[in-house]
Amino acid sequence: MTDAFIDIPGVRNFRDAGGIGSLRRGVLYRSGSLHTLTEEGARKLKALGLRTVVDLRSPFEQEIWPDQRHGLDHETLSVPTLPANREDVDLPWPEDQADLYLFMPETAGRSLAAVVRHLATPQALPVVVHCAVGKDRTGLTIAVLQSLLGASDADITADYLLSNVGLGLDKGPAPYIDETGTERVSRPVSAELIASSLGWIRTHHGTVPDYLRSHGVTEAELAALHANLSV
């Protein structure tokens, strides 16, 4: 599956999320943010036919590190995965990576529903979904979309774990500077993490489609998503 990676100068961890389940290639891409996108990278995105960028980052991240366009005329859909403020949710804020993967499905339903609705429209494609490095928030969002398109948990997990290769985390944790200028440590993803998110969804809602229905996604929108993204 490493053939899914595409070299887009200035963008980390860019790859095609298709080719599993009924999700066709060339319509749904995933990556890190586009804030360091180069002019050459923009030309390559244009060659892919890019129409929509889905930005899962917080408003603060988007303000500090705005995506670069270099003349690209795509639509941007801002749908933060995490609540903007800790006070917005009556839940403990995640303290570590394991907590994050249980927190995200519990709080990101509206974000995920908005992504599904948008991707159900033919004019949205091709689309790239990204957060900061395309690992956690993007990992959950892409896993939900792949699940809707019939991908097995094994294939979803194999694609998800490619972020370790795409970010150089296959060699272990790596330091990085966050949007506040603070040095932090980026940790590799594991099969157990994405399994915990999907497990939370199924435990509380039964299925991924039922989870999305509980956040207002309609049968017509789910059918349109299938029609739009399927082989």
Side-chain angles (χ1 to χ4, degrees), residues 18-224:
I20 61 175
S22 65
L23 178 58
R24 71 183 192 273
R25 286 190 177 272
V27 294
L28 176 63
Y29 299 98
R30 56 180 297 167
S31 74
S33 76
L34 278 60
H35 75 285
T36 54
L37 176 71
T38 67
E39 291 187 4
E40 181 185 358
R43 287 193 292 271
K44 290 193 172 186
L45 289 180
K46 185 175 182 178
L48 293 176
L50 182 67
R51 290 186 181 177
T52 306
V53 170
V54 175
D55 195 335
L56 305 175
R57 297 176 300 162
S58 70
F60 182 69
E61 287 173 286
Q62 294 180 38
E63 179 182 353
I64 296 298
W65 289 331
D67 282 349
Q68 300 300 306
R69 286 181 174 263
H70 299 295
L72 291 173
D73 60 356
H74 58 76
E75 178 182 2
T76 296
L77 181 68
S78 175
V79 280
T81 300
L82 300 175
N85 301 296
R86 299 187 180 200
E87 298 76 19
D88 292 342
V89 288
D90 188 24
L91 291 168
W93 198 261
E95 295 186 0
D96 57 28
Q97 199 176 27
D99 288 344
L100 175 66
Y101 275 80
L102 295 175
F103 183 84
M104 285 194 295
E106 189 165 3
T107 59
R110 291 177 63 184
S111 170
L112 290 163
V115 174
V116 168
R117 288 193 191 95
H118 195 76
L119 269 59
T121 60
Q123 62 268 26
L125 304 179
V127 58
V128 58
V129 176
H130 79 76
C131 51
V133 297
K135 175 169 68 78
D136 301 311
R137 290 168 287 185
T138 298
L140 172 62
T141 301
I142 295 296
V144 165
L145 293 170
Q146 290 171 333
S147 179
L148 288 173
L149 272 294
S152 68
D153 282 6
D155 283 344
I156 290 170
T157 301
D159 175 74
Y160 164 80
L161 291 175
L162 287 178
S163 285
N164 288 334
V165 177
L167 297 168
L169 296 174
D170 51 329
K171 302 175 182 64
Y176 73 99
I177 303 298
D178 73 7
E179 67 278 7
T180 68
T182 303
E183 182 173 305
R184 299 187 184 278
V185 175
S186 183
R187 301 190 180 283
V189 293
S190 67
E192 291 76 16
L193 290 170
I194 197 62
S196 70
S197 284
L198 293 175
W200 188 96
I201 289 172
R202 290 163 179 159
T203 297
H204 291 82
H205 295 275
T207 67
V208 170
D210 283 340
Y211 169 71
L212 292 164
R213 291 183 190 105
S214 74
H215 292 285
V217 175
T218 66
E219 293 298 332
E221 288 166 337
L222 290 172

